[in-house]
Amino acid sequence: MSFSSSSSSPTTSSSATAAPVRVLTELDHVRLGKWLQAPSAAADALQDVLDSAELVPSAQVAPDVVTMRSRLRVAEAGASTAREIALVYPDEADAGQGRISVLSPVGIALLGLRAGQEARWRAPDGRAAVLQVEAITFQPEASGELLR
């Protein structure tokens, strides 16, 4: 499983025909917008997510949605083993520790998905990558951390 921060094209899908609507908290939306200052492919992809997402107040986000600083259990499509990762801001990222930057291809692909959905993106080598979001093991909003 490659979590490189190189440019690629993230997409999401819960089926082969339609991408799901992403859900973002209003706070995550504002904070992520601040990371878009420098032009890059990652910034463009994140901007697309921000522009098309359904926004909800932090107190009203469903507990099965991938929000910033959520920890989630993911598995490659068809794999029998899963891995726990956290979706974090770029300055908190450490792929070796499972802290995945929201500006990485996999991070952008995971943002706003629900448990049960698939994140899809192109790895730096051009191959298609897919992760199944099996579960959200910790979501700040569901734990009462609305301003984290």
Side-chain angles (χ1 to χ4, degrees), residues 61-127:
V61 69
D64 67 341
V65 173
V66 178
T67 63
M68 291 305 302
R69 297 193 175 118
S70 288
R71 288 191 299 267
L72 47 149
R73 190 172 58 245
V74 297
E76 292 185 51
S80 60
T81 59
R83 176 177 179 189
E84 186 162 307
I85 61 174
L87 184 64
V88 300
Y89 293 98
D91 58 346
E92 302 167 333
D94 182 343
Q97 296 296 315
R99 294 189 304 267
I100 307 304
S101 171
V102 69
L103 289 182
S104 69
V106 66
I108 294 168
L110 287 165
L111 180 65
L113 294 183
R114 291 181 178 268
Q117 293 181 315
E118 291 181 338
R120 297 174 180 273
W121 72 99
R122 290 253 171 238
D125 63 4
R127 73 176 170 80

Side-chain angles (χ1 to χ4, degrees), residues 4 54 75 106 148:
S4 172
E54 174 186 338
V106 66
R148 81 291 167 241

